[in-house]
Amino acid sequence: MDTNPALPGRSLAGPRTVYNSDHEMFRDQVRRFFEKHIVPHHRQWERDGIVPRSVWLEAGAAGLLCPMLSEEYGGAGADFGYSAIIIEEIARTNCTGPGFPLHSDIVVPYIADLASEERKREWLPKMARGEIIGAIAMTEPGMGSDLKAMRTTARREGDHYVINGSKTFISNGQLADLVIVCAKTDPAAGRKGISLICVPAGTPGFTKGRNLEKIGLHAQDTSELFFEDVRVPVGNLLGEENKGFSYLIRNLPQERLVIAVRAAMGMEVMLEKTVDYAKERQAFGQPVIDFQHNRFKLADAKAQATMFRVFADHCLALHLRGELTVELAATAKLLGAEMQNRLFDDFLQIHGGYGYMAEYEIGRAWADARVGRIYGGSSEIMREIIGRTL
Ligand SMILES: Cc1cc2nc3c(=O)[nH]c(=O)nc-3n(C[C@H](O)[C@H](O)[C@H](O)COP(=O)(O)OP(=O)(O)OC[C@H]3O[C@@H](n4cnc5c(N)ncnc54)[C@H](O)[C@@H]3O)c2cc1C
């Protein structure tokens, strides 16, 4: 049996049953798109600190954005499996620049589920075509994990909200045309006073700070955002006022599954590359894989990545049936991110000095993976979520 994870339908744990043949046909299409439109340019985009808008338009035209969005609004009306395939191809090629999953699987679902019909018709078809790029702004300079402590406010004035505050670390922040801003509409009510309000780029008083310099994810733009008396119509509110926190809780499991799916594929692919390197690289007259220490490290890594593949696919299957719980999503994110970081560190070590060179994929993957333990809720917050169920 061929377990090469780079082959469709295969994994370290054997044939994958979570996808059907339509999913795998879609994978072929996604893979061709990545090989042509993304892989050859990604190193340059890392130097630029951002991907060009053109790749968003190309992805939209190729049907790679918003696969789950209903056809009525320009999507494919497909299941999360199609999104997972795009996430896996990002991990397989280690091309982490295009923020497609954030846009398609995190931002768009809020708008599709909670915006007014008028706003859906205005924004969603353009989001599916890549003409409007989305972002979500929860984190502020003074808080990230503790959402109820956010200080950005949205004050109701007639038919408008007036937003004041600032956000930071916002992915797609430079490119974003539409930002879901989390703000307090009832500052005295803690988490029960948070609302989600859409703010289009170009609205007076809304400014973007610099593209933040990061230690990894170099092709992904990440920004500070500033709001000074920004007036948006009340029609830009998502769902009901003061219910924002419950909407975030409802959607965060999918965001966490995105991170787990990426980790599972990343571990399989980087293991394979490291094994290839270790077979080729000679030290003391033998391939470095022939040193028992390295072989055992790789054997442990293979065992762990195999186990995580089974669990990640289990969570993916649950999510496809609408049964993924907050707790299991947190478990998948915690295990995936922590294991990926441990394994990538060992893989880098086995590459020796070349592992530290940016031209070798493992070094970049190692730096990119580090944030998995921080964003989407840190590992400590995942433990809190799991701990509450004990
Ligand atoms: C590259 C990147 C992209 C990002 N993209 C986005 C985005 O698009 N939108 C967005 O809104 N945010 C985004 N973030 C922000 C990210 O979600 C936050 O950084 C994260 O939630 C942690 O918040 P913080 O940085 O404020 O850390 P803090 O909350 O200040 O935490 C500091 C440390 O304390 C720990 N800690 C906090 N609370 C507890 C607790 N109760 N128990 C134990 N330990 C605790 C944390 O785990 C962490 O180790 C991004 C961050 C990065 C780095």
Side-chain angles (χ1 to χ4, degrees):
M1 182 176 54
D2 198 336
T3 56
N4 182 346
L7 291 174
R10 304 291 175 183
S11 76
L12 285 175
R16 299 178 72 186
T17 51
V18 70
Y19 296 124
N20 59 35
S21 56
D22 288 343
H23 287 121
E24 293 303 349
M25 267 161 55
F26 181 65
R27 188 192 299 279
D28 281 346
Q29 185 190 330
V30 177
R31 200 164 277 196
R32 279 198 303 274
F33 182 89
F34 268 70
E35 296 304 337
K36 182 169 177 202
H37 296 279
I38 295 183
V39 175
H41 311 293
H42 202 264
R43 292 288 284 135
Q44 183 55 46
W45 298 344
E46 285 174 357
R47 286 186 279 272
D48 298 341
I50 195 162
V51 308
R53 259 177 193 281
S54 55
V55 76
W56 283 83
L57 298 173
E58 286 161 353
L64 264 62
L65 298 178
C66 314
M68 284 192 297
L69 181 64
S70 82
E71 288 169 277
E72 199 188 343
Y73 302 111
D79 59 41
F80 182 76
Y82 290 78
S83 290
I85 281 170
I86 296 169
I87 296 159
E88 289 182 358
E89 291 308 300
I90 289 174
R92 191 183 64 80
T93 55
N94 200 35
C95 288
T96 46
F100 299 159
L102 174 77
H103 172 85
S104 304
D105 309 317
I106 297 168
V107 176
V108 164
Y110 284 107
I111 296 171
D113 294 346
L114 300 167
S116 68
E117 193 53 37
E118 192 191 340
R119 294 296 190 269
K120 285 192 210 179
R121 297 209 175 277
E122 182 184 344
W123 293 328
L124 291 174
K126 289 184 178 165
M127 296 185 97
R129 292 197 295 267
E131 292 163 14
I132 289 184
I133 298 173
I136 180 160
M138 296 174 266
T139 308
E140 299 182 357
M143 76 81 210
S145 306
D146 183 13
L147 284 176
K148 70 178 182 317
M150 74 175 57
R151 298 175 74 167
T152 299
T153 55
R155 195 178 67 248
R156 181 88 185 248
E157 263 185 23
D159 291 341
H160 286 79
Y161 284 109
V162 181
I163 303 175
N164 278 288
S166 61
K167 299 288 179 181
T168 194
F169 308 148
I170 306 308
S171 304
N172 290 347
Q174 297 286 303
L175 287 167
D177 303 294
L178 188 66
V179 181
I180 300 176
V181 178
C182 307
K184 286 267 179 75
T185 31
D186 183 354
R191 67 178 60 169
K192 290 191 175 148
I194 296 172
S195 298
L196 310 183
I197 302 171
C198 295
V199 180
T203 307
F206 169 27
T207 50
K208 297 175 177 182
R210 67 202 161 90
N211 192 3
L212 298 171
E213 266 184 63
K214 305 185 291 300
I215 61 169
L217 297 181
H218 287 302
Q220 203 171 99
D221 55 308
T222 310
S223 310
E224 296 170 291
L225 305 176
F226 304 102
F227 304 88
E228 211 181 318
D229 289 330
V230 176
R231 292 174 72 83
V232 292
V234 285
N236 285 17
L237 175 72
L238 293 179
E240 291 177 42
E241 207 177 78
N242 296 330
K243 291 243 173 101
F245 191 79
S246 61
Y247 300 141
L248 293 171
I249 297 296
R250 196 176 69 191
N251 285 19
L252 278 171
Q254 183 160 300
E255 177 171 353
R256 291 173 182 154
L257 185 60
V258 167
I259 295 167
V261 166
R262 190 151 59 207
M265 181 56 91
M267 286 189 278
E268 290 187 341
V269 168
M270 283 303 153
L271 170 67
E272 203 194 343
K273 288 181 193 289
T274 308
V275 168
D276 287 348
Y277 181 86
K279 282 180 178 168
E280 222 167 79
R281 180 72 179 174
Q282 301 269 329
F284 298 94
Q286 64 185 64
V288 296
I289 199 168
D290 287 348
F291 296 111
Q292 190 187 54
H293 172 83
N294 294 334
R295 203 167 57 251
F296 277 17
K297 279 277 177 198
L298 290 167
D300 276 345
K302 184 170 185 178
Q304 290 178 64
T306 304
M307 178 180 65
F308 189 71
R309 158 61 60 216
V310 177
F311 181 58
D313 277 2
H314 169 69
C315 290
L316 187 50
L318 284 179
H319 191 51
L320 288 170
R321 298 203 300 269
E323 293 170 11
L324 182 69
T325 60
V326 168
E327 176 197 351
L328 268 185
T331 307
K333 199 241 166 205
L334 172 68
L335 286 178
E338 292 290 329
M339 193 184 283
Q340 185 185 26
N341 272 268
R342 271 197 315 274
L343 263 52
F344 281 14
D345 199 63
D346 285 342
F347 296 164
L348 191 153
Q349 188 69 16
I350 288 171
H351 278 76
Y354 289 107
Y356 203 69
M357 296 298 123
E359 79 236 42
Y360 272 75
E361 247 180 294
I362 185 59
R364 300 205 306 284
W366 173 82
D368 290 353
R370 186 62 182 82
V371 76
R373 295 172 59 202
I374 298 168
Y375 68 8
S378 67
S379 288
E380 291 71 33
I381 296 301
M382 297 306 101
R383 292 186 180 101
E384 276 296 332
I385 292 170
I386 300 162
R388 269 180 229 138
T389 68
L390 299 176

